[in-house]
Amino acid sequence: MIFYFSGTGNSQLAAKQIGKAIGDEVLSINQRMKTKRTYTSKHPFVFVAPTYCWRMPRVVWQWIMDQQFEGCREAYFILTCGGSVGNARSYAKKLCDKKKLRFRGLAPVIMPENYVAMFSTPDKDESKIIIEKATRAIARWSDMIRAGKDLPAPDVSIKDRIQSGPVNVVYYPLIVRDKGFHVSDGCISCGKCARRCPLENIRMVDKKPVWLGNCTHCMACIGGCPVEAIEYKKTSQGKPRYYIMEE
Ligand SMILES: Cc1cc2nc3c(=O)[nH]c(=O)nc-3n(C[C@H](O)[C@H](O)[C@H](O)COP(=O)(O)O)c2cc1C
Ligand code: SF4
Ligand code: SF4
């Protein structure tokens, strides 16, 4: 059973490719964000998510904590990222220990950077090349999962430990806020940003989006706006938007 959380579609794409390769069902965490239930599978659980500040997103951590997993109690993690997952592996292992799941490894897949609120994002041509390469990595990890092998543990540097450790801890309270989002007159009031926010953090007021203060910086709203009417402070201005999520 494969679960994915995805802001802009990379992890959705990776999860679907894994599902096809190993012949297992693919379920969206986005659509199950507010539910708590028991999942039973005779195959391993595979969790696919973006990397947020060198770890799995906190909302994904919390979601996994809130569910019950029965049947095969093995867990694999695939984190899509723009460049590095740091020491995310050891935190995924800790989560498995808490949930009494058998940790089978965490593998990174480098995909297009989607963090338009902070960094440069690739244009369509660059993204296509990165995704082609990612598809090969996904096939490799899928083969290992299908064969029941552990995913390899990479070397972890001191920098990785600092990024996934203390930097991650201060990053959430200092940076992950929705105050910087604003909408221009170009907004066509389609409501897509509100419908797609996985945390239901956007309400349409007078036909314009209003952010409600519970944001995980997934970039679905700003990345997916069909007319690029959303900006984050001044940092997103002039940058290509990245969004490949399928409905
Ligand atoms: C809030 C946030 C934090 C991120 N942190 C990292 C990071 O620590 N390392 C990295 O390589 N990429 C980072 N990225 C890039 C994403 O992990 C990457 O683009 C991912 O594939 C997006 O997946 P999605 O399309 O499924 O949402 C970050 C993106 C966001 C939005
Ligand atoms: S997605 Fe863009 S155009 Fe549609 S309501 Fe939101 S801001 Fe407006
Ligand atoms: S408000 Fe935008 S960035 Fe924040 S969680 Fe919702 S869709 Fe993601």
Side-chain angles (χ1 to χ4, degrees):
M1 193 174 278
I2 300 150
F3 293 101
Y4 72 85
F5 175 80
S6 186
T8 59
N10 286 343
S11 309
Q12 182 192 54
L13 178 68
K16 284 184 177 180
Q17 290 182 351
I18 295 166
K20 213 168 163 192
I22 69 173
D24 207 350
E25 65 182 317
V26 179
L27 302 175
S28 160
I29 294 177
N30 297 41
Q31 290 168 9
R32 293 168 173 74
M33 210 68 211
K34 295 210 167 145
T35 61
K36 290 185 187 182
R37 53 161 283 199
T38 301
Y39 293 95
T40 308
S41 174
K42 53 184 183 198
H43 302 296
F45 293 100
V46 183
F47 300 99
V48 188
T51 309
Y52 288 175
C53 202
W54 299 284
R55 277 202 222 171
M56 79 175 75
R58 278 193 186 175
V59 289
V60 174
W61 170 284
Q62 193 55 53
W63 186 85
I64 295 173
M65 282 301 293
D66 287 344
Q67 315 302 315
Q68 297 303 319
F69 300 99
E70 288 184 356
C72 175
R73 298 192 52 78
E74 308 201 343
Y76 288 93
F77 294 81
I78 303 292
L79 289 198
T80 70
C81 65
S84 162
V85 300
N87 189 26
R89 183 180 187 280
S90 72
Y91 293 90
K93 167 131 188 9
K94 275 186 197 152
L95 175 61
C96 286
D97 292 347
K98 278 186 196 289
K99 294 294 292 179
K100 303 212 172 3
L101 291 165
R102 185 172 164 224
F103 179 67
R104 301 302 309 270
L106 178 148
V109 177
I110 296 179
M111 294 192 80
E113 173 65 61
N114 72 340
Y115 206 178
V116 67
M118 292 283 159
F119 305 113
S120 304
T121 43
D123 63 22
K124 281 204 164 56
D125 290 342
E126 288 172 278
S127 299
K128 198 166 165 247
I129 295 166
I130 299 168
I131 287 175
E132 275 165 14
K133 216 169 157 192
T135 300
R136 293 195 287 280
I138 293 163
R140 180 172 170 229
W141 304 136
S142 301
D143 285 348
M144 296 187 79
I145 296 169
R146 197 176 42 222
K149 293 182 180 163
D150 282 336
L151 300 174
D155 293 337
V156 177
S157 66
I158 291 180
K159 187 176 162 208
D160 292 327
R161 287 181 207 279
I162 293 169
Q163 286 170 330
S164 300
V167 176
N168 182 284
V169 170
V170 295
Y171 162 78
Y172 274 90
L174 289 182
I175 307 288
V176 184
R177 293 161 184 216
D178 62 13
K179 293 247 180 302
F181 286 112
H182 52 101
V183 65
S184 74
D185 290 344
C187 170
I188 54 171
S189 307
C190 68
K192 283 184 177 168
C193 50
R195 278 199 302 281
R196 288 166 173 170
C197 173
L199 302 188
E200 297 178 16
N201 183 46
I202 299 175
R203 190 182 302 146
M204 296 299 286
V205 178
D206 296 331
K207 297 189 176 172
K208 296 280 181 272
V210 172
W211 285 262
L212 305 175
N214 176 31
C215 174
T216 190
H217 268 197
C218 77
M219 302 294 114
C221 54
I222 186 169
C225 173
V227 291
E228 299 187 8
I230 301 175
E231 300 286 356
Y232 187 81
K233 299 181 182 167
K234 287 186 178 164
T235 40
S236 59
Q237 280 172 7
K239 291 182 189 167
R241 301 312 200 238
Y242 183 74
Y243 191 81
I244 59 163
M245 191 90 152
E246 290 176 355
E247 299 292 341

